[in-house]
Amino acid sequence: MNRVSVGRVGAIAANVVREQWRAKVSYFLAAYGLVLVLALALLPEIAAGNTTGKILLDIVLAGASLMGLAVAVFTGTRLLDREIERRTILLSIAKPLSRTEFILGKHLGLSVVLIVVALAATGMGLVALLPTGQVENLDWEAIGVTTIFALVELVLLAAIALLFSVITNGILASGLTLAVYFMGHLSQDLLTIGVQLDTPWLRRLTEILYIILPDLERLNLKNLAVYGILPDVGTLGLNALYGAGYTVIVLCLTTFIFARREF
């Protein structure tokens, strides 16, 4: 088996970053900024005074994750589609570039884009909070840890989007990525519902779905960060390891499928 070249992976990743930025990723940030300004202007008028700060912070943290999701769904899932349409994939996977390096480079590039978008959205949100006077009341440690876990979730989401882009076309891949995202955040509830069911096969089905689907709630600390609460270090470490491990498994599956695909 050929060794993976960091240089070749980096070159593919850099090309993905350029392509994604040309795909008007900056427009997503501009639209987000507009929505954020409107939300910050209107919310104090409809929310109770003692809860406004927490709601605003929740909007900022959730908005950054949703920005990353939007980019992954609407542009990330079309990474292979564009290559196939232009027939450039035949050149891209030619030797000495291996298909493993191609997938790793695509994932690295998409992950970088999602991380930059999420950090930019978070920064925009925190800057927008300055006029409200809520910044000095923020728990920066909780916000920092929450942001890191949100980035781990986006890296995992990039791998899932890439997996579906290898299996099917862009539109269906977008729908499947969205479905996994929402079901991943509801997987714990799905398991709870299954335990209460009287039908054995339905209970078993919910257990299988819980095992297969990523438990994205392990990486979601936004609600806790709003109140300055974090899980213990051991739980954080296990959840981070879960996210990283699931990403590796998805990438291995993507590489396996892509290696056997004919163009």
Side-chain angles (χ1 to χ4, degrees):
M1 183 177 178
N2 294 332
R3 293 175 58 185
V4 173
S5 168
V6 175
R8 290 194 289 266
V9 170
I12 293 292
N15 187 57
V16 170
V17 172
R18 286 192 296 268
E19 284 185 352
Q20 291 292 288
W21 216 255
R22 288 182 195 141
K24 315 304 181 189
V25 168
S26 56
Y27 289 175
F28 283 90
L29 287 173
Y32 171 76
L34 179 60
V35 172
L36 184 64
V37 169
L38 292 174
L40 294 177
L42 295 175
L43 190 60
E45 303 296 328
I46 59 177
N50 60 342
T51 63
T52 300
K54 292 182 175 60
I55 295 175
L56 290 175
L57 178 59
D58 194 33
I59 290 174
V60 169
L61 295 177
S65 294
L66 291 176
M67 276 295 301
L69 172 65
V71 173
V73 168
F74 293 109
T75 67
T77 53
R78 296 202 70 246
L79 286 178
L80 289 185
D81 271 5
R82 284 191 288 267
E83 297 259 13
I84 294 172
E85 288 170 4
R86 301 168 187 166
R87 308 300 295 173
T88 56
I89 194 167
L90 298 176
L91 298 175
S92 299
I93 61 177
K95 292 183 178 181
L97 180 70
S98 69
R99 295 198 178 199
T100 298
E101 291 168 338
F102 182 82
I103 292 297
L104 291 179
K106 291 287 186 182
H107 177 257
L108 177 59
L110 181 57
S111 297
V112 168
V113 171
L114 298 184
I115 288 172
V116 170
V117 166
L119 289 178
T122 302
M124 290 168 60
L126 294 176
V127 169
L129 281 177
L130 287 175
T132 68
Q134 302 290 338
V135 175
E136 60 270 17
N137 300 322
L138 300 180
D139 187 324
W140 292 103
E141 180 184 2
I143 292 174
V145 173
T146 299
T147 301
I148 291 172
F149 272 78
L151 299 182
V152 173
E153 180 183 9
L154 288 177
V155 171
L156 172 54
L157 191 63
I160 292 171
L162 193 58
L163 170 63
F164 289 133
S165 71
V166 166
I167 295 173
T168 185
N169 61 63
I171 296 176
L172 186 54
S174 297
L176 290 172
T177 303
L178 267 178
V180 169
Y181 175 83
F182 288 114
M183 292 185 69
H185 279 287
L186 296 173
S187 61
Q188 292 181 8
D189 296 329
L190 186 65
L191 184 63
T192 302
I193 293 172
V195 172
Q196 300 172 352
L197 293 175
D198 295 328
T199 309
W201 72 267
L202 282 177
R203 188 184 309 118
R204 184 59 178 167
L205 177 61
T206 58
E207 292 173 354
I208 293 173
L209 288 175
Y210 179 75
I211 294 172
I212 295 175
L213 292 170
D215 185 0
L216 297 180
E217 279 300 300
R218 291 191 181 200
L219 308 176
N220 180 19
L221 305 179
K222 290 183 274 297
N223 292 333
L224 297 177
V226 169
Y227 296 95
I229 302 172
L230 288 175
D232 60 85
V233 175
T235 301
L236 289 174
L238 286 175
N239 289 345
L241 187 61
Y242 172 85
Y246 205 104
T247 301
V248 170
I249 291 172
V250 173
L251 284 176
C252 288
L253 180 59
T254 304
T255 303
F256 176 82
I257 295 173
F258 187 66
R260 284 151 183 78
R261 182 168 175 179
E262 298 294 333
F263 297 99

